Amino acid sequence: MSRLVVTGAAGFIGSHVVEALARAGHEVVGVDNFDPFYPRGVKERNLADAAAVAPFEFVEGDVTDPMALAPLLDAGTIVVHLAARAGVRPSIADPAAYSRANVTATAAVAEAMRGAGARRLVFGSSSSVYGDDTPAPFREDAPCIAPVSPYAATKRAAELLLVALAPLASLSVASLRFFTVYGPRQRPDLAIHSFTRAMAEERTITLFGDGTQSRDYTWVDDIVAGVLGAVAWTADAPAGVTHFNLGGNRAVPLRVVVDEIAAAMGVRPKLAWAPMQPGDVQHTSADLTRSGAVLGYAPCTPFPDGIRRFVAWFRSVHAREC
Ligand SMILES: NC(=O)c1ccc[n+]([C@@H]2O[C@H](COP(=O)([O-])OP(=O)(O)OC[C@H]3O[C@@H](n4cnc5c(N)ncnc54)[C@H](O)[C@@H]3O)[C@@H](O)[C@H]2O)c1
C-alpha cells in the first residue's frame, strides 16, 4: 500500500484515478481547486460518485501555490499530477490562464516534491504536443517542436520543465501523453459529451472541417490502467523523464463518432458544417510500442462498446438531473 496525492482529483480523469487507487487499497489524497472552466457542481458529483466506490481524503487547494501541496507530501509520497486547464480552442482566447494552470502549476508541484524529498511523479500530458507535423502513428521520440495551440504549447512546456528539473531534483517521472479520453464523467466541453447532449436535446450539431479528421479515442478505464502501470513503474525508474503514449489503438473519423453516438441514442442527428477551427489538428494516432513493453499498457475497449457505455452513463446522469 502506497500513499498517493492526485492533483485534479475532481476532474474527469482524476476522479477515475482516485477511485481506482483507493479501490486498490492505497492511501489517497485528492486535491482540486474547482477551476471554473466547467461547473463546480459537476466536479462535486465526480468526487461523490468516486467516493461512493472507495473512500479517499479530499483537500480543496490550488497547486500553483507550492505551500498548498507541501503539508500533504512526505518523502514516500507518489504524486499523480493531472490538474490543468484543458481544452484546445479556449486556450487561444486565454493563453495566460493556460500558462498558469499548466506550466506554473507543474513547476510548483515539482518544487513541493523536491522540498519534501518525494521522487515519484506521474504527469498527465497530451497527444496535442505532437502538433500537425508528426508522422502517424506518433512515436514518443518525435521532436514535438511545433504545437498548434496554446494548450499544446503549455503541455509541451510543462514536459520540458520536468525534463530539465527531474535530474536536478532526483524525480523519476512518467509523462503520459493521453489521446482524447472518453467515458463516464467526461468533460462537458469534449465532442462526445457535447454531441450526445445535443442529440438528447434535439439540437443541431455543428461539425468543423469535412468530417474526415480523426482522433485516437481512448476509453477512460484504459487510461486509468496506464496511470496505475506508470505509478508502479516509477518505483524503480531512474531520475529523469520518460514519455509514454496512452491511446486507444485506432483513429476514429469525426463522422463515424457522430454515427456511433446516433446509433447508441437511436436518433437521426441534425448536422451543420463549418470550417475547421484554429488550434485543431487533423489526426491523432498513438504508437503504443513503448507503453506496451514498459508499462504493460494494452487498451481493450472497442469504440462502439465505449460509446454505448458512455450513452448509458449520460442517460443515468440526465435522469438524476430531471
Ligand atoms: N480528457 C482528455 O481527453 C485529455 C487528453 C489529453 C490530456 N489530458 C490531460 O489530463 C488531465 C485531466 O484532464 P481532464 O479531462 O480530466 O480535465 P478536467 O478539467 O476534468 O480536470 C482537471 C482538474 O484540474 C483542476 N485544476 C485546474 N487547475 C488547478 C489548480 N491550479 N489546482 C488544483 N486543481 C486544479 C480542475 O478544477 C479540474 O477538476 C489534464 O492534465 C489534461 O490536460 C486530458
Side-chain angles (χ1 to χ4, degrees), residues 163-289:
V163 167
L165 263 176
L168 304 172
S170 301
L171 299 178
S172 301
V173 183
S175 160
L176 305 180
R177 293 173 175 165
F178 302 151
F179 284 65
T180 319
V181 189
Y182 73 111
R185 308 179 202 150
Q186 192 193 39
R187 295 201 325 265
D189 60 299
L190 285 170
I192 289 174
H193 196 154
S194 67
F195 293 173
T196 304
R197 184 171 289 276
M199 286 186 211
E201 294 170 357
E202 299 180 16
R203 281 187 285 108
T204 299
I205 297 168
T206 302
L207 298 178
F208 299 102
D210 61 4
T212 60
Q213 65 271 39
S214 62
R215 294 286 177 273
D216 194 336
Y217 287 99
T218 315
W219 181 247
V220 69
D221 293 346
D222 291 328
I223 291 286
V224 170
V227 171
L228 268 55
V231 165
W233 173 83
T234 57
D236 299 316
V241 177
T242 306
H243 303 289
F244 296 99
N245 286 336
L246 297 187
N249 219 7
R250 42 75 200 98
V252 183
L254 179 62
R255 190 56 229 238
V256 174
V257 173
V258 173
D259 291 346
E260 290 289 355
I261 298 171
M265 297 283 287
V267 301
R268 186 188 292 263
K270 298 180 205 158
L271 302 180
W273 294 88
M276 187 87 177
Q277 292 285 288
D280 282 356
V281 296
Q282 273 294 338
H283 303 289
T284 64
S285 170
D287 180 307
L288 299 178
T289 311

Side-chain angles (χ1 to χ4, degrees), residues 8 10-14 32-35 38 43 61-64 82-84 86 101 124-126 151 155 178 180-181 187 190:
F12 163 40
I13 299 171
D32 204 293
N33 71 342
F34 298 103
D35 175 288
Y38 62 92
K43 297 179 185 185
D62 185 333
V63 299
T64 56
L82 301 174
S125 189
S126 162
Y151 169 71
K155 281 294 181 182
F178 302 151
T180 319
V181 189
R187 295 201 325 265
L190 285 170

